[in-house]
Amino acid sequence: MTDLSPDPASRRSPLHDVHAAAGATFTDFAGWQMPVRYSSDLAEHAAVRTAAGLFDLSHMGEILVVGPQSAAALDFALSGPMSRLAERQAKYTLMLDENGGIIDDLVVYRTGEDRYLVVANASNREVVAARLRERADGFDALVEDESGDIGLLALQGPRALEILQNLDGLDLRADIEPGTSTADAVAALRYYRAIPGEYEGRRILVARTGYTGEDGFELYTSPEILRTLWESLLEIGAGAGLVPAGLAARDTLRLEAGMPLYGHELGLSVLPAQAGIGRAVSLDGKGDFVGRAAIERGEPADPRSDFAGRVLVGLASEGKRAGRAGYAVHEDGGGRVGFITSGALSPTLGHPVALAYVDADRGEPGTTLSVDVRGTRIPATVTPLPFYTRAAH
């Protein structure tokens, strides 16, 4: 079982020793010691864009909600209509507080008629589990934090399908059409769908989801066989360009894909509409849920916050000097109108990109602003998100 003891410094992935032997550099991430890189950020980023990368995401939280009223409980607890999910379907959704602020952004899988898997960010696992229990009170539903019993790997990139199709020991044929091979079942799996099966005699959930802007899969299974799965995938994928990848590459990949990160673009002071994820909130055809009244009012989650009155935009610049989180954004030739939440020199595009909150009347694509990079104002243009899509490259 993965260590989930109260001492944050002691939280390690089941693969910690494997990562160390591979030369990984570690960083503290939400109280976990996780690989930030193995070789170089650029090489790992490029591998995911051109071939495939393998990520250890065992720090993520997995919370099980089961029972006859599990769907109703989640409809009340979360912003999206979980009761409308078909079995084996996944959905991106939000947990809001009473002011409409974002407690966490989540992916929810309906794994059975009365069974859901809620995947939370590592830093929010405990609070999400606690809020789900509170909000499920009065419903015939049980909430169990299963994080210690589930390991998670992400296989991402244009050759991910090919690699997974060649994984010996993976069997997804238990309840699909007779004569269908596991390789065919993997290929037929649609985006934001999942299929259960077995790997080396243990249960596994194979989901076509990810956080990189590429095609790929997320694999949920027992921590006891995570090492076998990790090493087998790397061996199979060696000739296809598969490499282990760390959190640094994951961050630049998701930034290029315009995907928000909790603690940077998302938080308790941010309304979903400000972050460009209002689609994750369902007001039509769904009953009451925590945060609904605040969303309908449309008032700032925290009027005193630096986020109030601002919207999330993409910024693109020329040259090589990238704005970083916290850098000020100014009106072209004028005063401060916002701040960067994530920024980097894009490895794929070759120029700086950033996500930033700016005054709502400065958020139109094509608007020219500037970023204060260590005392120098660098011109930047508001750019539609995402910066990168695999269809265009």
Side-chain angles (χ1 to χ4, degrees), residues 331-357:
E331 192 167 24
D332 191 24
R336 185 177 185 269
V337 294
F339 56 96
I340 288 178
T341 50
S342 299
L345 177 62
S346 166
T348 305
L349 305 176
H351 62 77
V353 297
L355 296 174
Y357 277 89

Side-chain angles (χ1 to χ4, degrees), residues 211-342:
Y211 191 55
T212 62
E214 296 295 339
D215 187 21
F217 301 87
E218 293 182 315
L219 312 172
Y220 299 83
T221 192
S222 167
E224 283 75 14
I225 61 167
L226 210 60
R227 178 170 184 159
T228 299
L229 180 58
W230 175 270
E231 293 178 343
S232 296
L233 287 169
L234 287 176
E235 182 179 357
I236 293 165
L242 175 65
V243 302
L247 294 179
R250 183 169 159 86
D251 192 49
T252 51
L253 289 160
R254 69 91 192 169
L255 173 58
E256 288 182 345
M259 296 177 171
L261 175 64
Y262 194 89
H264 286 250
E265 289 72 45
L266 307 179
L268 291 174
S269 298
V270 179
L271 293 175
Q274 289 179 267
I277 53 174
R279 64 188 182 283
V281 179
S282 179
L283 296 176
D284 297 329
K286 184 175 183 257
D288 192 25
F289 59 89
V290 178
R292 177 176 185 131
I295 295 296
E296 290 177 328
R297 289 195 303 269
E299 298 172 355
D302 181 358
R304 299 165 298 177
S305 166
D306 210 20
F307 293 93
R310 290 177 167 152
V311 295
L312 185 66
V313 300
L315 294 177
S317 305
E318 296 182 356
K320 301 296 182 182
R321 300 187 67 184
R324 305 291 180 177
Y327 285 16
V329 177
H330 294 267
E331 192 167 24
D332 191 24
R336 185 177 185 269
V337 294
F339 56 96
I340 288 178
T341 50
S342 299

Side-chain angles (χ1 to χ4, degrees), residues 121-169:
N121 286 296
S123 60
N124 295 324
R125 175 187 64 85
E126 294 177 355
V127 68
V128 168
R131 295 293 183 273
L132 284 175
R133 291 190 185 99
E134 292 172 3
R135 296 176 187 187
D137 187 37
F139 294 91
D140 188 0
L142 178 67
V143 177
E144 292 287 346
D145 188 345
E146 299 277 300
S147 303
D149 297 317
I150 297 176
L152 173 58
L153 302 183
L155 177 64
Q156 301 283 298
R159 302 193 72 174
L161 171 60
E162 168 194 343
I163 293 165
L164 191 59
Q165 284 179 309
N166 286 287
L167 177 64
D168 290 336

Side-chain angles (χ1 to χ4, degrees), residues 36 45 102 104 125 191 201 205 218 263 284 299 315:
V36 67
H45 180 110
I102 301 170
D104 201 12
R125 175 187 64 85
Y191 188 54
L205 184 71
E218 293 182 315
D284 297 329
E299 298 172 355
L315 294 177

Side-chain angles (χ1 to χ4, degrees), residues 36-47 246-250 252 347:
V36 67
R37 68 181 60 83
Y38 298 84
S39 56
S40 80
D41 305 351
L42 292 178
E44 292 166 22
H45 180 110
L247 294 179
R250 183 169 159 86
T252 51

Side-chain angles (χ1 to χ4, degrees), residues 86-90 109-112 175-176 189 192-196:
E87 288 188 34
R88 302 186 180 178
Q89 185 179 3
Y109 300 88
R110 189 169 195 168
T111 56
D175 55 357
I176 60 178
L189 190 61
Y192 261 64
R193 297 294 192 278
I195 185 170

